[in-house]
Amino acid sequence: MPTEQQTIIQLSNQFTLTDIEVVKIFTPLKSWEDKFRQLMLLGKKLPQLPIEYQLEQYLVSGCESKVWLLHEWSNDKLCLIASSDAKIVKGLISVVLAAFNGKTKAQIQAFDLEGYLAQLNLLNQLSPSRANGLRAIIDKIYNYCE
Amino acid sequence: MPIRSQFKIFSDSNLNSPTPFVYLDSAATTHKPQSVVDVICEFYQTQNANVHRGSYTTANLVTARYEQARINIAGFIGANDHTDIVWTKGTTESINLVAYAWGENNLSSGDTIVVLGSEHHANFVPWQQLALRKNAHFEVVNVLPNGDVDLTHYQALMANKPKLVALQHCSNALGNIHPIKSLTELAKQVGATVLVDGAQAVAHLTVNVNNIGCDFYAFSGHKMYGPTGVGVLYIAPDIKSEMSPFHFGGEMIQNVTREKTTFRPIPAMLETGTPNISGILGLNAALEFIQSAPAIEALNNNAQTYNYLIEQLSQINNVQIIGNSNNNIGVASFVVEGESVSDIGTLLNEQNIAVRCGHHCAMPLMQALNINGTVRVSLGIYNDKSDIDLFISALKKSLSILSC
Ligand SMILES: Cc1ncc(COP(=O)(O)O)c(C=O)c1O
């Protein structure tokens, strides 16, 4: 039986999407339908979070939907795994993990997240409570780096 | 004038482009007809004065209209006397007012309070908290799978001789219409005081408080085509002597000395401070609207629109309608297998469809039904078949995106 730490690191390694790929996917998209379809596909790229990790203690508070977020440090890199009961949220999580997963503290802190999100032009598609939920996930990741 | 054209929001060019604005959230709040908006504007533009205070003409005119609104509201719910009507800022305040002005002095340790399992938090939490303050028992009636009251359990709880029974007339989350008269009768037989939360009923049903036989009836103006910030608490004549003042200040008093104050009878006793005058005049205009022939006809047509909605929804794969659609005020609450309700809400919003998604301020009901929430479609007087068609096609499109 792998330890929890090993499982998180192993699952996190399976997620290989990068921010550059995400930008490439979203830049040509104009219609809201296409953006949401892509979010669905990105959500499917998240490694499946085993049911035994879908626990109260991993829930991100402040999200409208349930979001579980787990992390471990491995060789100074932040390994993240996350999931949600809502498909749109899973897509958004994928967008965030593409920027932060497997990065060092310095890389995460130096990354221009606002520019990245603005480029994707996704946030104005979201209700305020959804957008706040996304912020809650991002804040939690920044907290890991403090 | 056709009903829909009395609501400017449906022809607003910003809101209705690129596709028509489809409003299916009237259980949260209804839109306001132009007559209501006009009365409020005119009040501030040409009539503004305080009530019950002035010695001049505009003040007297406003006071007369304000008191006429009370008489009209009494008539609307079948109360015998306008002094049975207390103005509040909404259902929530009406219920909390009873919890303090009646509950504090009439409930003791060991007494029982009963509420339905499908209550809105506004008719649940005030009683739960009162029970905690008083060390009283707080009992919740079981909910049947379709959201109806478990009558066997209700009757069993009546055997505890509750001091207070607080009942919703109609469910806000599911739209079920409860058998309020017989529930009230059963509670009265064991000597309970009965409060009815009529927030969802007044825009859809003919309400007669005498016929129901309740002690209190609470509702909001904004769910019956009136403004926000105004509501009503009906207090039956027999229970008035059990009420104490709750908020203290001007208007409610008979005489004030350094040592003591005497109070005027209800309604003044419970209405201290300057009231929401424009709101009350607006509510009166809403009453005129709702009782007009075109509105009555439109309300009757709502039943067909509702049946059409249920029929269309039932044909979509994996949609499960929660609630009793055979006895309903025009609410379709549903879940879709494998989808989260917030995703559906987000995608409907993209298509300019306004519905509500979530627990609808009825978390104990969601727990009883073992669901996380629903998508709630609720009809108002202005909805017609075209709204349903737009909604159904938007829902199908949403589900197809979610399954890609
Ligand atoms: C059944 C029911 N009770 C109480 C309320 C609370 O009404 P208000 O917010 O107007 O005070 C609502 C409103 O959603 C309701 O539907």
Side-chain angles (χ1 to χ4, degrees), chain B residues 27-28 90-93 95 120 122 168 170 172 197 199-200 220 222-223:
Chain B
T91 310
T92 304
E93 192 184 49
I95 295 170
H120 186 284
Q168 59 178 196
C170 307
N172 62 302
D197 169 359
Q200 293 295 340
S220 301
H222 72 98
K223 292 184 199 283

Side-chain angles (χ1 to χ4, degrees), chain B residues 77-79 180-182 184-185 206-214 234:
Chain B
I77 59 166
I180 201 67
K181 186 174 155 76
S182 54
T184 303
E185 250 164 35
T206 304
V207 172
N208 187 306
V209 288
N210 264 317
N211 182 38
I212 295 170
C214 55
Y234 158 80

Side-chain angles (χ1 to χ4, degrees), chain A residues 32-33 36-37 40-41 44 64-66 85-89 124-127 130, chain B residues 338-340 342-344 346-347 349-351 357 372 397-398 400-404:
Chain A
W32 67 270
E33 290 104 312
F36 279 105
R37 283 199 190 95
M40 293 303 116
L41 298 177
K44 288 184 185 161
E64 187 176 42
S65 310
K66 279 189 182 143
D85 59 350
K87 291 177 180 173
I88 295 174
V89 179
N124 52 4
Q125 221 88 41
L126 302 177
S127 69
R130 267 282 161 81
Chain B
E339 304 300 349
S340 87
S342 62
D343 281 348
I344 295 171
T346 300
L347 297 178
N349 179 49
E350 283 297 334
Q351 299 167 82
C357 298
N372 280 327
K397 185 166 188 173
S398 307
S400 102
I401 291 174
L402 288 171
S403 62
C404 81

